[in-house]
Amino acid sequence: MSDRKHREKDERTAVFGWASVLALALAGAALGFLAVWTAEAVAPVDREHAVAVRVTDLDGDGHERYGYDLEARTTDGRTIPLAGGSARVDRVRSGEPVVVTLSRATGRPLAVRHVEGEANLHHHTGAVVLVVAAGLFAAAVAWRRRPLLRAASAVLPFAPRLLAAAVTVAALVLAGAAPLDRDPADGSRSSLDGMGIYRDPAFFPDRVVGVGTEAEVDDMAVTVRAPAATVAPAPGAGTALRVVAVPVVVRGTGQGTGTHLPVVLIGEGEGDAQLLRWSRCGEEPGALDDTFAPGETTGRLCFAVPQRFDPRYLVLERGGASVAVDVRGGTAAGG
């Protein structure tokens, strides 16, 4: 055989050998990913009540960089990084109460329950497609493992150990760093004040009324019938948000099918109260939103709130007028 043919054969052997090395390494990474993903799918979970926080980093010049990351700040001060920038969590607002489902196997967030539903961060469509692709690739490499190992050994003597090493490294990278991300919130993140801008007397309404007193604002009148109170969640509702109900009677003289009356529940603590805009209050029917038909309407305004949020005032604003209703006291919301 000529020297030229020998060189061509050696080149083909080298190319196939390094390609085999790469295939083994990728198969190891795929197996590591599958091992972690499967462990998270079957392992027990913990659920943490938290407040969603959108944060941004500063560049070298002290300017905010473009884009925000989403974190969940738990009641004990830890932060859990979520899928920042992902379409699965882009409907979660900063300050919104959330319930984060965490894997006990890796500590990573698997799902986020928020006001408008639940964002699945683990077995969503993209992850399932990736699992199937990783499984098929690993199966194909396993089927051809002997020729691949022989070819890889020709250029890398320790190639048979490469698969186990890649599995170990991939599993550690995927799972090992997750618990380290759950650090206490540092002082650079501003506190999400439950009173919001109304902490400043310049923004707080001049008029304050109590429970049972009619509060007139523009062409509408609102009476809070009983103090704000937490609605008991349904039995076994492990992912339930805390819901506070404010029973009201609303009278309006506006014309048309509905009159909009902005309502804001403020209080002491971290995070914002989010008005539930569908016809439920916790697990019970009868919730109102902030649009009312002409005449008199009786029902309940329901807000999803953080665990440590203490309701203080229901702020009503319409037509340039505003009034605050003190909703403190009591233990049960009226029907």
Side-chain angles (χ1 to χ4, degrees), residues 219 253-259 294:
D219 59 350
T253 60
Q255 302 300 313
T257 57
T259 300

Side-chain angles (χ1 to χ4, degrees), residues 132-152:
V132 172
L136 291 175
F137 180 77
V141 171
W143 180 55
R144 299 291 297 171
R145 65 186 182 280
R146 290 183 179 178
L148 288 173
L149 286 170
R150 283 196 302 268

Side-chain angles (χ1 to χ4, degrees), residues 65-273:
R65 65 172 175 79
Y66 179 77
Y68 294 84
D69 294 326
L70 185 67
E71 297 178 346
R73 187 179 300 170
T74 64
T75 53
D76 59 2
R78 290 174 293 126
T79 59
I80 304 171
L82 303 177
S86 168
R88 291 183 293 278
V89 293
D90 61 3
R91 298 169 69 180
V92 180
R93 295 178 290 271
S94 187
E96 182 174 337
V98 294
V99 179
V100 184
T101 301
L102 298 167
S103 169
R104 290 187 187 175
T106 63
R108 296 200 305 171
L110 306 181
V112 181
R113 169 70 63 182
H114 56 103
V115 171
E116 297 185 10
E118 186 169 42
N120 198 315
L121 307 180
H122 186 255
H123 46 278
H124 51 85
T125 302
V128 172
V129 170
L130 186 58
V131 166
V132 172
L136 291 175
F137 180 77
V141 171
W143 180 55
R144 299 291 297 171
R145 65 186 182 280
R146 290 183 179 178
L148 288 173
L149 286 170
R150 283 196 302 268
S153 298
V155 296
L156 204 62
F158 55 85
R161 301 186 184 91
L162 188 63
L163 185 62
V167 170
T168 303
V169 171
L172 289 175
V173 169
L174 285 170
L180 301 178
D181 290 333
R182 298 166 65 188
D183 296 329
D186 58 49
S188 65
R189 295 182 174 92
S190 60
S191 175
L192 297 170
D193 190 348
M195 293 291 287
I197 62 172
Y198 301 102
R199 179 75 68 184
D200 186 341
F203 293 99
F204 194 84
D206 294 330
R207 292 182 294 153
V208 179
V209 301
V211 172
T213 302
E214 188 174 76
E216 295 184 357
V217 53
D218 194 36
D219 59 350
M220 303 191 72
V222 177
T223 302
V224 173
R225 297 181 289 120
T230 298
V231 178
T239 58
L241 297 168
R242 179 188 169 206
V243 176
V244 166
V246 181
V248 296
V249 176
V250 181
R251 291 192 299 106
T253 60
Q255 302 300 313
T257 57
T259 300
H260 181 57
L261 174 63
V263 295
V264 180
L265 183 66
I266 60 177
E268 295 296 334
E270 185 180 61
D272 298 331

